[in-house]
Amino acid sequence: MPFLGQDWRSPGWSWIKTEDGWKRCESWSKELERENNQHNINHGIILNSENEEIFNNEEHASKKRKKDHFRNDTNTQCFYREKWIYVHKESTRERHGYCTLGEAFNRLDFLSAIQDVRRFNYVVRLLQLIAKSQLTSLSGVAQKNYFSILDKIVQKVLHDQQNPRLIKGLLQDLSSTLCVLIRGVGKSVLVGNINVWVCRLETVLTWQQQLQNLQMPQVGHSLTLSDLPLHTLNNILYRLSDGWDIVTLGQVTPTLYMLSEDRRLWKTLCQYHFAEKQFCRHLILSENGHIEWKLMYFALQKYYPTKEQYGDTLHFCRHCSILFWKDCRLALLLKDSGHPCTAADPDSCFLPVSPQHFIDLFKF
């Protein structure tokens, strides 16, 4: 049986039928060629917090890792741009096989999603959950696409200078996972050469350094937050659902700091994210007997998950078993449900899919 790809574990190349015959699909993604050309990491990589194991980057070993890495990341694979996919967990007479997490990640259109401000946080959170627990379950092609999408996200943040804290958390979790996998090589199944994984870790460390050196530009003489009235600033703070965003905004000006320390603001935030029984078990009182709502919020975060808010998410149709991106604008203008639904009332069958629910859909 001939090999259709350089990696026997990959599904092979993708082909399309044309008038001149079958032709191979071109790649939608660029190689991760920036990662070792922009910054050369000359120091050793510490693989654990106790400084137990250190890999010295010798010149010969570094060249071999780059060679293996770029050999693995050739342009033989392509990104799909599908808006919906079937989610079937078992074979039937009508449909054979099943859908995996890696297949869903490959086929759904995540490249366009990261360019949409409504879906950006959703994709980043999904990548973070995959980095924590599902990275080794991805196929070789899915792993290439994962790091290609992550590269585009990092470059977008460096260019737009927005959401750096969100990406720093993602890269921190990913680097921790990669360190554990490399240190425990042989104990877990890694798809690909060990040099490829070490090179990926170097790339993540380079991204972290770039984000650490990110400098926000000076604002000119245009309108700033300081020029807005107090009630407008207060309304902005009350619309934030993340406590760290409130703390960060309070560091901009003394006025915003005063507004960010409002007890009613933190009380509202606690009541939004946590049930009454939860914050009643962890009451923090001041010397005057008042409840410290700000301290309670960060304390409760350690014990209970907070509610997640996204501008737009993937949806799952219970009638068709289809996972799809729903375009609200097309739904209003053209009455497009986002996929070929056969239900009499499609909207009643749609369920928003959280990042954790997305991963749970493919746990068999």
Side-chain angles (χ1 to χ4, degrees):
M1 178 180 177
F3 287 99
L4 296 181
Q6 295 185 0
D7 189 348
W8 61 271
R9 290 158 292 196
S10 69
W13 291 329
S14 298
W15 300 80
I16 56 175
K17 188 175 182 180
T18 63
E19 296 179 355
D20 300 329
W22 289 90
K23 291 186 178 181
R24 196 175 69 214
C25 293
E26 296 296 333
S27 174
W28 289 98
S29 64
K30 297 180 180 178
E31 294 179 359
L32 293 176
E33 55 188 356
R34 302 187 188 94
E35 56 191 36
N36 284 294
N37 295 334
Q38 292 179 349
H39 297 278
N40 292 323
I41 302 179
N42 297 321
H43 56 79
I45 300 177
I46 300 176
L47 295 182
N48 56 5
S49 57
E50 293 79 16
N51 298 340
E52 292 177 356
E53 298 178 30
I54 299 179
F55 279 64
N56 296 320
N57 294 331
E58 299 178 359
E59 183 178 359
H60 177 72
S62 178
K63 290 182 178 179
K64 187 176 186 303
R65 284 199 299 270
K66 293 177 183 179
K67 183 178 179 182
D68 291 337
H69 179 68
F70 288 114
R71 181 186 302 164
N72 190 61
D73 281 328
T74 55
N75 279 332
T76 57
Q77 306 299 336
C78 69
F79 278 114
Y80 292 86
R81 294 180 178 270
E82 298 184 18
K83 299 297 182 181
W84 56 268
I85 60 170
Y86 284 102
V87 180
H88 47 284
K89 297 185 178 182
E90 58 185 8
S91 298
T92 62
R93 291 183 178 180
E94 295 80 11
R95 185 170 294 276
H96 296 279
Y98 57 93
C99 186
T100 63
L101 176 63
E103 182 184 355
F105 187 79
N106 285 337
R107 294 174 59 189
L108 285 171
D109 187 11
F110 286 103
L111 279 180
S112 300
I114 62 177
Q115 303 299 329
D116 192 332
V117 66
R118 301 170 302 167
R119 299 173 179 175
F120 182 82
N121 290 2
Y122 180 85
V123 177
V124 171
R125 178 57 178 167
L126 178 59
L127 294 182
Q128 189 172 19
L129 291 178
I130 292 176
K132 287 182 178 180
S133 61
Q134 302 295 323
L135 192 59
T136 55
S137 67
L138 299 180
S139 64
V141 179
Q143 289 175 7
K144 295 177 189 178
N145 292 346
Y146 178 93
F147 283 95
S148 296
I149 292 175
L150 184 58
D151 175 56
K152 294 182 181 298
I153 289 177
V154 173
Q155 300 308 319
K156 176 179 173 59
V157 171
L158 292 174
H159 180 266
D160 299 342
Q161 298 181 339
Q162 297 178 3
N163 301 307
R165 183 174 61 84
L166 195 64
I167 308 305
K168 287 180 181 179
L170 166 59
L171 295 180
Q172 181 62 38
D173 291 337
L174 180 58
S175 62
S176 300
T177 301
L178 291 177
C179 286
V180 173
L181 292 176
I182 296 174
R183 188 172 66 247
V185 62
K187 300 178 182 179
S188 59
V189 179
L190 294 180
V191 178
N193 194 299
I194 182 62
N195 293 324
V196 174
W197 288 92
V198 174
C199 197
R200 286 170 175 171
L201 178 58
E202 292 179 351
T203 303
V204 173
L205 295 178
T206 302
W207 287 338
Q208 287 180 314
Q209 188 63 38
Q210 291 175 347
L211 291 174
Q212 192 67 27
N213 298 333
L214 181 63
Q215 298 292 334
M216 297 299 176
Q218 293 291 336
V219 181
H221 299 286
S222 58
L223 187 67
T224 63
L225 284 175
S226 304
D227 301 321
L228 298 177
L230 288 179
H231 70 275
T232 304
L233 295 175
N234 201 40
N235 288 335
I236 293 175
L237 287 169
Y238 269 88
R239 291 183 180 275
L240 298 177
S241 60
D242 191 343
W244 285 110
D245 290 338
I246 296 177
V247 173
T248 304
L249 188 57
Q251 297 173 352
V252 177
T253 63
T255 302
L256 286 171
Y257 176 77
M258 177 190 66
L259 295 175
S260 67
E261 293 295 320
D262 184 13
R263 292 180 62 253
R264 289 179 299 177
L265 171 64
W266 291 99
K267 179 181 179 180
T268 304
L269 195 63
C270 287
Q271 291 175 340
Y272 171 75
H273 286 288
F274 309 106
E276 184 176 356
K277 293 182 179 179
Q278 293 175 342
F279 59 73
C280 285
R281 296 174 183 173
H282 302 275
L283 283 176
I284 300 178
L285 302 178
S286 63
E287 297 179 355
N288 300 328
H290 299 295
I291 299 177
E292 295 287 351
W293 292 104
K294 181 179 179 180
L295 297 178
M296 277 187 55
Y297 171 81
F298 292 106
L300 290 170
Q301 259 191 332
K302 301 177 181 178
Y303 298 100
Y304 310 104
T306 56
K307 292 182 180 179
E308 298 180 353
Q309 276 190 337
Y310 304 103
D312 192 12
T313 67
L314 285 167
H315 287 72
F316 181 73
C317 180
R318 294 174 295 179
H319 178 78
C320 307
S321 295
I322 287 180
L323 190 66
F324 64 97
W325 289 109
K326 182 180 179 181
D327 195 325
C328 298
R329 289 169 293 187
L330 289 178
L332 292 175
L333 295 176
L334 306 176
K335 295 183 179 180
D336 184 7
S337 62
H339 74 285
C341 187
T342 58
D345 186 10
D347 292 338
S348 62
C349 303
F350 297 165
L351 289 176
V353 179
S354 67
Q356 184 60 53
H357 186 201
F358 178 87
I359 293 177
D360 293 339
L361 280 175
F362 305 99
K363 288 183 177 179
F364 306 125

